[in-house]
Amino acid sequence: VADDCHPQTLAVIETRAEALEGMPEIVETRLTPMPEAEVRNAPAGSAFAILTHDHALDFLIVAEALKRNDTAYVGMIGSKTKKATFRNWFLKSADGSEAQFARLVSPIGGDAVKDKRPQVIAALAAAEIMTALVAHTAASNADHQAPRDKVTAG
C-alpha cells in the first residue's frame, strides 16, 4: 500500500499458495495461475523483478514486461547463460525486438559487488529497483512539465 511512509506498493505475485504464506502485512499478495496477466494489468511506471522457480515461467513474465513501453524496470534473476537463452527465445519465438531486450536487467543486482549471498543480491536489487523508479518518475515529470515561455533579450 502506498502512503507517505511507504511511497511504493509492493506486490508479490505467485502461482504457489505456500510461497505467499508469512508475507509481511505491508506486502500485497496475489495468487494466480497466470502471473503474466498481472504484468499486463500493472500500472504504468511499474518495476518488475522476476524471481520464479521455473525458467519457462520467468520467460513468459519477462516477455510480457518487456513488450510494455512504460515500465521503470524489468529484471530477472539468473546467470548470463540464462539471459542468453532468454534472448534467443524472446527474439525468435516471442516476437520481441533487440530494443525491448536491451531493457532487461539480468542478472539483477548489478555486477559491481562480487557476492552471491542471497541477502546481498536482494539488497543490491532493491537499490537497483529504487534507483530505476526514481529515474522513471523524474523522466515522467520532466515530460509532463509545461513548456516555459522564451525570454529574448535584445
Side-chain angles (χ1 to χ4, degrees):
V1 175
D3 58 28
D4 289 341
C5 294
H6 306 94
Q8 304 298 326
T9 299
L10 174 61
V12 174
I13 301 163
E14 248 304 339
T15 58
R16 303 166 299 161
E18 65 276 7
L20 295 174
E21 293 173 8
M23 288 284 170
E25 286 185 30
I26 192 74
V27 176
E28 180 181 329
T29 59
R30 297 185 204 147
L31 180 63
T32 179
M34 295 181 55
E36 64 276 15
E38 296 287 337
V39 171
R40 287 183 222 120
N41 297 325
S46 291
F48 299 96
I50 294 86
L51 317 158
T52 79
H53 58 286
D54 180 341
H55 284 1
L57 184 57
D58 287 348
F59 289 6
L60 289 173
I61 297 167
V62 173
E64 286 296 330
L66 290 177
K67 288 180 180 181
R68 293 182 56 156
N69 62 5
D70 62 352
T71 59
Y73 175 91
V74 180
M76 177 175 64
I77 198 164
S79 64
K80 290 179 183 177
T81 301
K82 180 178 177 181
K83 184 177 182 178
T85 302
F86 171 76
R87 180 184 176 277
N88 288 336
W89 174 82
F90 183 67
L91 297 176
K92 292 177 183 172
S93 301
D95 296 323
S97 71
E98 284 287 354
Q100 291 168 325
F101 175 77
R103 295 184 12 249
L104 175 62
V105 177
S106 185
I108 61 172
D111 57 7
V113 177
K114 305 294 182 203
D115 192 325
K116 300 293 185 194
R117 290 177 293 167
Q119 59 271 42
V120 172
I121 294 170
L124 293 169
E128 186 175 82
I129 292 165
M130 290 306 299
T131 300
L133 286 167
V134 168
H136 186 271
T137 298
S140 294
N141 289 343
D143 289 345
H144 293 100
Q145 286 182 347
R148 295 187 176 142
D149 292 335
K150 285 187 178 179
V151 176
T152 307

